[in-house]
Every structure is written in C-alpha cells, then in structure tokens.
Amino acid sequence: PAPPFRKVDIVLGCSYMGEDARGFLHTFGNPSSQHPAALVLRGISIRNDGNLGDEAEYKVPQENPDFSSPIVFEASAPSVSVPHAESLLHADCGGEEVSCEISPYSSQQAGERPCHPSWFMATLQLSSGISISLVLRGPHCISQEEKKEHNAILHPKLRIPMSKEGTVLTTVEFQLSSRNTSLRVRLGSSVTLDCRFALAPSSWFSSLEWRRQHRGSGRSLFQYQVGSTGPAAQPKVHVDVVELLGSGDASLSLREVSVGDEGTYICLVSTPLHQAQHIIRLQVAEPPRVHVIPAVVTFERGVTTTLTCNIAGYYPLDVSVSWTQKTPEDEVEIPLSNTHFSSHRQSRDGTYSITSYLSISSATVQAPATYSCHVSHVALAEPISVSAHLKAPEQTGAEGLVGAFIATIIFIVVLFIVLRRR
C-alpha cells in the first residue's frame, strides 16, 4: 500500500518586493520595487491520495544569475509545518490562483550585530481566501575576508551568499495562517475568525493581540502576554488560551454579531524576534423582508390606487427596488417608472428600511394584471419578488337588478308582439 504521506516540492511564482516591509507593516500588492522571483518549498509532507503521480524533486535550472534574473528562494521546513500544503500543490488543478510576494524582513534584534542573518517574509494568498505568512531565515552576511576564505558567491541583487545553483537557501522559522481573508455573517450569529501559527524550536511565542479597525478608528479586543495573569473576560469575544499555548490556535470567537462588529480584524502574533499578522474583513449582511400592500386590488373606473412595497430589516444600506406589470396578453414583464420612494430609515439594531410606492390609474391600466415589486440586495442570493393582483371589475348587486329588469321588459314586449300576430 502507498504510504499515507509523501514529501514533495512545491514551486510558486512570486514577486520580490525590494522595500523593507518590517513584517507586520507589509502591504500586500504594493507594486513598488517588484522583481521576478520563485519560492521552492522543499520536502513538504502531502497526504498521498494516489493522485500525486511520479513527480521528482524540483531541479533548479543551472545558470549564473545576473541582476535581472528571477530570484529563486529555496525554503526547507524541517521543524515548522507548512499549512494548507495540499491547496498550494493542487491550486492549478483546482482552478485557484495563488499570489506570492517575498520581501526583506527586519527582525527586532537585527541591529545588534554588524553581520546578522538575513530574514524574509513570504506572503501567500489563495483565491479561496486562504492566507499564509512564512518568516524565512536566510544566510548570514559575510565579510570580504570570509568571502575569500570560503570562496563564497554573493547573489548579484541581494548581496548575500547563494548556493552553487544560484539560489537563496532559507528555512521556515515561523508561520501564521488563516482560512479566511473575508467573512460575511448575519445579525445575531456567531463566527470564528481563524488564525493559527507554528514556531521553530529555536523561537517561542510571546504575545497575541486582536484588534478591530473600522472607518478610521481602532481598538484592542483581546491581549495576552506570556507570563501575565491572563486576559480579562469579555462578553462577546473569546480566545481559548489553552489551545493558544498548546497548538498555536489563536482564533477569535465572536458571539451575537451586531452591525457594530463590522470591520477589519487584525491577528498579531509576536515572538522575541518577529511579528506577523493576518487581516480578516468581517462584513454584516442581513437580507430584507418584503411586503406589498394591498395584495389584491379590484379595478374601479376613475380611481387611482397606490401599491406600497415595504422593504425592511436589511443591511448594508444599498438596495435596489423596481416594479413591473404583466397582463395575460404580455409575454414578459414590463418595467414601470411611475414610482416614488420614502427616505431611508434606520432601526436601533442598525438595519435599514425603505418604502416604494406605485400609482395605478384606471385610465391607463388594463385588468386583470399583476404588479410585482423586485428587491435586490447583497445579502440575497437572488432577488425577492412580491406581487399584487389587479382583478377585473365585477358586477355589483344594483347593476345585476337593472340588467334583469331590462331583460324582463324586453322579453314581455317580444312575447306580446308574437301573441298579437297569432
């Protein structure tokens, strides 16, 4: 039988960002100082489901890189597991896109020695929402004497020692990952903001902080420092400290989500040397309730009737409302424009309401007909349509008596004429 796991090499096309991102200050997608690069994750354990094929380890093309050549980073992870490795390996087959950026990283003790190790931050994002940050330890810088003594070759762009194949050899010392970069939840629900990390034995966890930012303001939601008495209990947010210290699960649980909980959440994990963060955008989306009043209208000559479409309890504010008409002779619904709206109203829970009015006049309409109010909103998978029905006029009791009386008179006159001729 095939072994349950197999070691493979994962190769990702990346961009090298020349500016020093200093870890948690790094902005993903910044086009400044981009340079072609590749990240080769060496010997990553993948569950063998029988579909891995016979891929051999990745062979770096033999070439002498110059200043314009792509920078190849080889990263081994002997003591830190790379999360979501299967998703990275099978991204092309699954139709996912992988974004990869590598930037220089300044550790918090970088300036203590004149020739410190080089550090890099690799930031990976999958189109499915998975986000991974890898702190890579590179080779030490060397002096001119050491360069001559060891016959070292410096990378033409990074000016640090490179391998014989022209690659930069690194090891993964710290990884931080999340399954989501954006979440959409309904009011009153509970949600878990995923954030997990792993460290090499040479490093250790020192602190965790969760922050929320929204519309230019921010505040700390949760803080834990190793050696402290523990975080203060809060009614809506919770981090399992036992799981945090035991397995590196720094996820934040948020209960009874309200409109005020919407915003950007930042998971910041620190060690004595490094800091890394993940950003998760939380959106609140509540679908509208739609009612049309009255549901049935009887056609009356010379009368104008107003149909009311009440749209209530939705969030966020943007909503689209339209009216259509359809008679038995129409093959498709006909859009109507003789509508007007109330102003938006906001409830105490932060949701919004609006009312749309449609005026129908007996002088311009044809009965029977169906009038529909269509509502589109970001929280709806498809638009809501609620209809009112315009009934054809019915004979009243007085009109029936008059008709019967006239018919009776006509019958008597005809009968009299027939009998007189006989």
Side-chain angles (χ1 to χ4, degrees):
F5 289 91
R6 178 178 169 184
K7 291 187 178 297
V8 299
D9 294 341
I10 302 176
V11 184
L12 303 172
C14 303
S15 295
Y16 176 76
M17 313 302 292
E19 294 183 358
D20 188 344
R22 297 192 63 85
F24 66 98
L25 296 179
H26 177 51
T27 302
F28 192 85
N30 185 358
S32 62
S33 304
Q34 286 193 8
H35 189 86
L39 177 63
V40 182
L41 299 173
R42 292 289 193 188
I44 306 301
S45 293
I46 299 290
R47 185 175 296 277
N48 189 359
D49 56 3
N51 297 321
L52 290 179
D54 298 324
E55 297 95 338
E57 68 177 63
Y58 176 74
K59 299 293 185 182
V60 178
Q62 292 284 346
E63 62 178 18
N64 293 321
D66 55 27
F67 194 82
S68 61
S69 299
I71 306 172
V72 179
F73 293 84
E74 292 190 69
S76 61
S79 55
V80 177
S81 61
V82 176
H84 310 292
E86 289 85 357
S87 298
L88 293 172
L89 180 65
H90 302 303
D92 291 340
C93 299
E96 282 200 77
E97 294 184 2
V98 181
S99 299
C100 170
E101 288 186 358
I102 303 175
S103 58
Y105 181 99
S106 295
S107 71
Q108 298 185 43
Q109 297 180 5
E112 290 186 0
R113 292 182 295 172
C115 199
H116 53 80
S118 53
W119 294 90
F120 301 92
M121 173 76 80
T123 304
L124 316 177
Q125 290 187 358
L126 281 75
S127 54
S128 62
I130 293 174
S131 179
I132 305 167
S133 295
L134 303 175
V135 176
L136 308 176
R137 181 188 180 103
H140 284 71
C141 63
I142 58 175
S143 63
Q144 289 295 328
E145 292 76 12
E146 292 174 319
K147 177 183 175 181
K148 294 179 181 178
E149 180 181 352
H150 299 286
N151 196 25
I153 303 175
L154 300 184
H155 191 278
K157 184 174 181 62
L158 303 182
R159 308 307 300 168
I160 57 176
M162 64 180 182
S163 67
K164 295 179 180 179
E165 291 78 17
T167 65
V168 179
L169 301 180
T170 66
T171 57
V172 180
E173 296 289 321
F174 177 17
Q175 63 87 355
L176 183 68
S177 68
S178 176
R179 295 182 180 275
N180 308 100
T181 54
S182 179
L183 288 171
R184 181 179 293 169
V185 296
R186 293 190 59 175
L187 289 176
S189 61
S190 297
V191 64
T192 297
L193 307 182
D194 184 62
C195 185
R196 301 166 189 269
F197 67 92
L199 301 170
S202 58
S203 186
W204 59 92
F205 168 73
S206 60
S207 67
L208 167 68
E209 182 180 13
W210 275 96
R211 296 186 60 83
R212 173 183 169 271
Q213 293 183 345
H214 190 55
R215 295 178 179 175
S217 63
R219 69 184 185 94
S220 179
L221 300 176
F222 178 92
Q223 286 183 308
Y224 178 77
Q225 185 84 27
V226 172
S228 66
T229 56
Q234 299 191 44
K236 291 190 62 171
V237 299
H238 174 71
V239 173
D240 191 328
V241 176
V242 175
E243 290 295 323
L244 171 68
L245 300 177
S247 62
D249 186 354
S251 301
L252 179 79
S253 297
L254 185 63
R255 294 184 289 269
E256 298 179 359
V257 173
S258 65
V259 168
D261 294 320
E262 190 174 60
T264 300
Y265 287 76
I266 302 171
C267 174
L268 179 62
V269 178
S270 301
T271 73
L273 283 179
H274 308 104
Q275 289 181 319
Q277 73 173 17
H278 272 304
I279 296 175
I280 303 174
R281 184 184 178 194
L282 183 67
Q283 297 173 293
V284 176
E286 188 68 13
R289 304 183 301 272
V290 183
H291 301 282
V292 172
I293 303 172
V296 178
V297 181
T298 302
F299 183 89
E300 296 183 43
R301 295 188 182 278
V303 175
T304 297
T305 301
T306 299
L307 298 179
T308 301
C309 184
N310 292 317
I311 306 102
Y314 58 89
Y315 187 89
L317 177 64
D318 292 338
V319 66
S320 174
V321 184
S322 61
W323 287 88
T324 59
Q325 168 191 288
K326 191 174 188 297
T327 66
E329 291 76 19
D330 297 327
E331 294 183 358
V332 296
E333 293 180 302
I334 300 173
L336 301 175
S337 58
N338 52 325
T339 62
H340 61 280
F341 294 86
S342 70
S343 60
H344 284 281
R345 304 176 296 273
Q346 189 169 23
S347 304
R348 289 185 178 181
D349 63 359
T351 60
Y352 295 95
S353 301
I354 195 172
T355 304
S356 178
Y357 304 95
L358 173 69
S359 298
I360 52 176
S361 171
S362 61
T364 57
V365 301
Q366 179 183 355
T370 300
Y371 293 88
S372 300
C373 176
H374 307 280
V375 178
S376 299
H377 189 261
V378 68
L380 296 172
E382 56 185 20
I384 294 178
S385 297
V386 180
S387 300
H389 302 281
L390 178 64
K391 297 174 62 177
E394 298 178 355
Q395 289 186 337
T396 63
E399 291 174 340
L401 290 175
V402 172
F405 177 75
I406 294 173
T408 302
I409 295 299
I410 294 173
F411 176 75
I412 293 172
V413 171
V414 172
L415 180 63
F416 175 77
I417 293 173
V418 171
L419 292 178
R420 187 175 181 183
R421 287 179 178 178
R422 288 184 180 181

